[in-house]
Amino acid sequence: EALGGKGTLILSDALNHTSIVNGCRAAYAKVKPFKHNDEKDLEEKLISAISEGRPSKDGSFTPWTKIIVVVEGIYSMEGEVCRLREIVDVAKKYKAYMYVDEAHSIGALGKTGRGVCEHTGVNHDEIDVLMGTFSKSFGGMGGYIAASKEVIDYVRSTSPGCLYTCSLSPTVATQILTAFHIITGDDGTDLGKRKLERIKSNSNYFRTELRRMGLT
C-alpha cells in the first residue's frame, strides 16, 4: 500500500511469485498481469492503460496516477532470468516505474554477484525500486529496498512492515555484512568468486542433465 494505492496500476509479470502477488493485492491498486517475460505484451498493456485511463463513475477520462511494472530477477519456480533490458526499455518509453524483486538473483547473478542488473547490463539508476532478501545468498534474515531517498523516507513512514517490526539484530547484521565482504572479495580471498562460478557451473550441469533425461 505504501507504494501503490487507489489510482495506481500495477503491471505484474504473470509468473511473479506468491509474495509479490499478495503484496500487490494488499496495495489497493489495480493489478493486471502481462505475459511472462514478454516485453511486447507489456508494451500493449501500457499503451492500453495510458490511452484508456482508469475507470470513472461518470465515464470521463481519468489517467492513472502512476503505473508500476513489477518483475523478478530470477523467477523462482522456473529458474528463468528476467529479460530486464528489454522490459526496462519499454517501461521507460512510457514513463512507467520499474520495481525489481532480486530475492533470487542478488549474490547469484552477474560477474561479481551484483544481481540481475549487472547480468543484463542495466544501470541500477534505471530501476526505481530494487528490493531483495538477506535470507538466501546472505544466510541471514530480513531484506532491503534500494530507491531514491524520497521513496525510502516514504516507505519508512507508511509501510506496516517498517512500522511494526524490529530492526535486524547485531548478529544477523554482522552475518549479512560478512557475506557481502565475501561476495565482493573485500575479505581478501577469492571465496566469493569461486562460489559464484560454482553456482553457474552447478546450474548449467543441472539443466543439461534434466534435458538429457527428457524432463525439459
Side-chain angles (χ1 to χ4, degrees), residues 33 55 63 160 164:
Y164 304 115

Side-chain angles (χ1 to χ4, degrees), residues 102 105-116 118 137-138 180 183-184 192 196:
E102 281 230 270
S105 51
I106 188 69
L109 276 184
K111 185 177 180 180
T112 62
R114 284 173 168 78
V116 70
E118 182 179 47
S137 294
F138 306 99
F180 266 117
I183 292 171
T184 59
L196 286 168

